Amino acid sequence: MITYSIKGGNMQILGILWPTFVLVALVFVVWFTMIFKRLRHMRTRPPERGTFASNDTMSRYFGAENTPADNLANLFEIPVLYFALVPLLLATRSANDIQVILAWVFVALRCAHSFIHIGPKNVRARFMVYLASCMVLTAMWIGFFVDAVHAAMAIHQAMAAMPAAL
């Protein structure tokens, strides 16, 4: 864990928050990109009645301009498991240096995924980055699980060692 001294006292500030802030910033960047592209498209090609009646008609209307929206949806699929893990790591004080490094790798891969998805659109490269990010997130969850099992075993042993009279 990363410890900083603040006004004479020690306060645990876990490095897991920084990559999380970056991932949140990525979500907003992709969202703003989507809004900008959609508004620009709507100015140059005004929608007709019924354009937004369904996801299918809306997707056809926006066409290639819909890529940021697709990427935004991706950021609420696998990354949701990351956003669920971070509070658990914080609450259990399990956000060790390995978890923080893995978090940075995961976030970097998600940034690369968004860039490839919105930019060059290389499907093979995007899939490889996606797969790598999923493997890193899986490693984070396995690490958390192992730490939780060890903590539970330690608590169980401590309870078993206590005198029965308590």
Side-chain angles (χ1 to χ4, degrees):
M1 296 195 186
I2 301 168
T3 304
Y4 296 93
S5 178
I6 298 179
K7 294 186 181 177
N10 283 332
M11 181 175 166
Q12 294 287 333
I13 300 176
L14 300 175
I16 199 78
L17 292 177
W18 296 113
T20 305
F21 292 145
V22 171
L23 188 56
V24 169
L26 174 65
V27 170
F28 281 111
V29 166
V30 171
W31 181 77
F32 280 118
T33 302
M34 176 193 73
I35 294 297
F36 173 78
K37 286 186 172 230
R38 282 184 171 182
L39 289 175
R40 185 178 65 191
H41 182 77
M42 291 169 69
R43 262 188 256 116
T44 60
R45 190 174 155 213
E48 298 173 3
R49 173 173 250 173
T51 297
F52 303 113
S54 72
N55 283 338
D56 289 339
T57 57
M58 189 171 71
S59 291
R60 279 194 301 276
Y61 169 72
F62 284 117
E65 300 299 324
N66 215 37
T67 304
D70 294 339
N71 188 257
L72 186 62
N74 289 165
L75 289 169
F76 288 96
E77 292 171 356
I78 290 297
V80 166
L81 293 174
Y82 172 84
F83 286 124
L85 180 59
V86 169
L88 293 171
L89 291 170
L90 290 169
T92 60
R93 298 179 180 246
S94 300
N96 58 38
D97 291 339
I98 293 170
Q99 288 286 21
V100 171
I101 290 167
L102 289 172
W104 276 115
V105 172
F106 175 76
V107 170
L109 289 167
R110 291 309 305 191
C111 288
H113 178 270
S114 291
F115 173 78
I116 295 166
H117 194 179
I118 295 170
K121 297 172 182 58
N122 181 327
V123 175
R124 180 175 167 81
R126 189 176 92 214
F127 175 72
M128 297 307 289
V129 169
Y130 167 80
L131 189 59
S133 73
C134 289
M135 291 180 353
V136 170
L137 187 58
T138 300
M140 290 180 73
W141 271 98
I142 289 171
F144 175 68
F145 174 76
V146 168
D147 287 346
V149 168
H150 282 132
M153 288 172 51
I155 290 169
H156 177 72
Q157 288 173 353
M159 296 296 284
M162 294 178 99
L166 293 179

